[in-house]
Amino acid sequence: MITEKLYFKLFNELTDILETIKKMEERIKQIQIDSEFIRLDSLLKLCNAVMTGGHAKIVIQESEVKVNNEICTARGKKIRQGDKVEFDGIIYEVI
């Protein structure tokens, strides 16, 4: 038999887990490309992560961008479907 105290504890833990999942989902944005690949700097502009190509160049060169969980400093890196690019706390999943 579950006591009322245990029930509320489990309910609160489940609520916390669901909030964490929601926050994680908000961090992931899917970006669709219609070609075989897109350059990393172009992808950052396409998804509005940066305003200009110059800004993209700077953040890439300063090691602020990860591709598939590895820091990438090559702005011409070819990004294909299935790749994940992370910048400024957001993960862009290419579909």
Side-chain angles (χ1 to χ4, degrees):
M1 177 185 258
I2 298 179
T3 65
E4 188 174 333
K5 184 176 181 180
L6 179 59
Y7 172 80
F8 283 111
K9 181 180 179 188
L10 292 173
F11 178 80
N12 288 333
E13 288 179 8
L14 181 58
T15 301
D16 291 343
I17 291 169
L18 291 174
E19 286 178 17
T20 300
I21 291 170
K22 184 178 178 185
K23 287 178 185 177
M24 289 174 67
E25 288 175 345
E26 290 172 354
R27 285 191 54 218
I28 299 173
K29 298 183 186 272
Q30 291 187 328
I31 305 297
Q32 184 170 353
I33 60 171
D34 297 323
S35 57
E36 180 183 346
F37 66 87
I38 185 171
R39 288 173 37 126
L40 178 57
D41 57 350
S42 297
L43 177 76
L44 292 175
K45 289 189 298 182
L46 174 68
C47 58
N48 296 317
V50 296
M51 298 300 289
T52 65
H55 185 206
K57 177 181 175 181
I58 291 168
V59 298
I60 293 167
Q61 287 179 340
E62 292 185 357
S63 302
E64 296 180 29
V65 179
K66 289 184 180 181
V67 176
N68 298 326
N69 292 318
E70 293 184 15
I71 292 173
C72 182
T73 57
R75 72 181 197 196
K77 169 111 175 116
K78 294 178 180 178
I79 306 299
R80 294 175 161 70
Q81 290 179 348
D83 286 338
K84 293 180 181 176
V85 175
E86 184 175 351
F87 172 66
D88 202 25
I90 299 175
I91 299 169
Y92 302 94
E93 181 179 16
V94 180
I95 58 172

